[in-house]
Each structure stands twice: as structure tokens, then as C-alpha cells.
């Protein structure tokens, strides 16, 4: 007894071709006769619609990527411009903190001197 193995079709069209081949065998039609693959207008329209949507999606994603790259380039440019100013401000903050500490020490000395006078 011969066991017939059937594989699962991978696409809609393969399943369509296999079904037609089985119908030919059942009806006795020879396999060498060419038969056109029937694709309905609805199927073709649906496929065309999906392709158009995919193209539009790719276009939108490319535009979004370009816009993001432009924003990143502008941000890098601004960072480059502000880098020296940032370093200068950091130096100024350090200087002001040192000055504040010196003023605080002087005030503490003056307060100490005032406290000693009141005794």
C-alpha cells in the first residue's frame, strides 16, 4: 500500500495550483494542458491596495528618519556651540563658590571679633 504524502502549501497561489491539479486528476484531464491561475479582481485589488499601503508606509518612515537625522545634526551643532560657553560658566561657578567661602570666613571672623567685644 502506497502512502501519499501531502505537504502544506506556503502561499495562496500554491494551494490554488494544487487544488486544480487534484481536480484534473479526478476529472481525467491530462497534466500537460496549461491552465491559467485564476486570480479574481477582488484578490488583485486587495493585493494592489496592500502594496500601495506598504509603499506609503516606507515613504513616511524614510521622511521621519530624515527629519530625525536633521534634528540630531542641529542638536549636535548647538551642543558644539554651547560647549565653550558651558565650560566658561562652570569655571565661573567654581570661582563664585570660592569667593563665597572666603566672604563667609571673613564674616565669621568679624562676628567672632564682635562677640569678644561684648564680653
Amino acid at each position: 500500500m502506497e502512502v501519499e504524502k501531502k505537504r502544506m502549501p506556503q502561499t495562496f497561489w500554491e494551494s490554488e495550483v494544487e487544488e486544480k491539479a487534484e481536480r484534473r486528476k479526478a476529472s481525467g484531464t491530462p497534466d500537460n494542458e496549461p491552465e491559467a491561475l485564476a486570480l479574481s479582481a477582488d484578490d488583485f485589488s486587495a493585493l494592489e491596495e496592500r502594496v500601495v499601503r506598504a509603499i506609503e508606509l516606507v515613504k513616511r518612515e524614510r521622511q521621519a528618519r530624515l527629519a530625525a537625522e536633521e534634528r540630531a545634526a542641529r542638536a549636535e551643532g548647538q551642543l558644539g556651540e554651547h560647549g565653550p560657553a558651558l565650560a566658561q560658566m562652570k569655571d565661573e561657578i567654581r570661582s563664585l563658590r570660592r569667593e563665597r567661602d572666603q566672604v563667609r570666613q571673613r564674616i565669621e571672623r568679624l562676628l567672632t571679633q564682635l562677640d569678644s567685644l561684648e564680653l
Side-chain angles (χ1 to χ4, degrees), residues 19-38:
E19 287 174 14
K20 287 184 180 186
E22 287 176 11
R23 276 188 255 135
R24 269 194 212 145
K25 271 186 184 178
S27 67
T29 307
D31 284 339
N32 59 359
E33 281 186 24
E35 189 174 324
L37 178 63

Side-chain angles (χ1 to χ4, degrees), residues 8-101:
M8 292 296 293
Q10 293 184 349
T11 66
F12 169 76
W13 291 280
E14 285 181 351
S15 64
E16 185 82 17
V17 169
E18 286 180 6
E19 287 174 14
K20 287 184 180 186
E22 287 176 11
R23 276 188 255 135
R24 269 194 212 145
K25 271 186 184 178
S27 67
T29 307
D31 284 339
N32 59 359
E33 281 186 24
E35 189 174 324
L37 178 63
L39 184 62
S40 72
D42 291 338
D43 292 337
F44 186 76
S45 294
L47 177 62
E48 182 181 24
E49 205 173 292
R50 290 178 70 185
V51 169
V52 168
R53 282 193 312 236
I55 290 170
E56 289 172 356
L57 177 65
V58 168
K59 284 180 184 179
R60 282 194 309 267
E61 292 302 318
R62 283 182 179 167
Q63 289 172 348
R65 182 178 46 89
L66 287 174
E69 288 173 355
E70 288 173 3
R71 285 193 309 270
R74 280 195 306 270
E76 286 176 357
Q78 288 175 347
L79 181 62
E81 288 176 9
H82 298 304
L86 181 63
Q88 181 183 0
M89 287 180 186
K90 284 181 180 180
D91 290 342
E92 189 174 336
I93 287 173
R94 279 190 218 107
S95 171
L96 290 171
R97 284 182 179 162
R98 278 193 301 267
E99 187 178 326
R100 181 189 64 191
D101 289 340

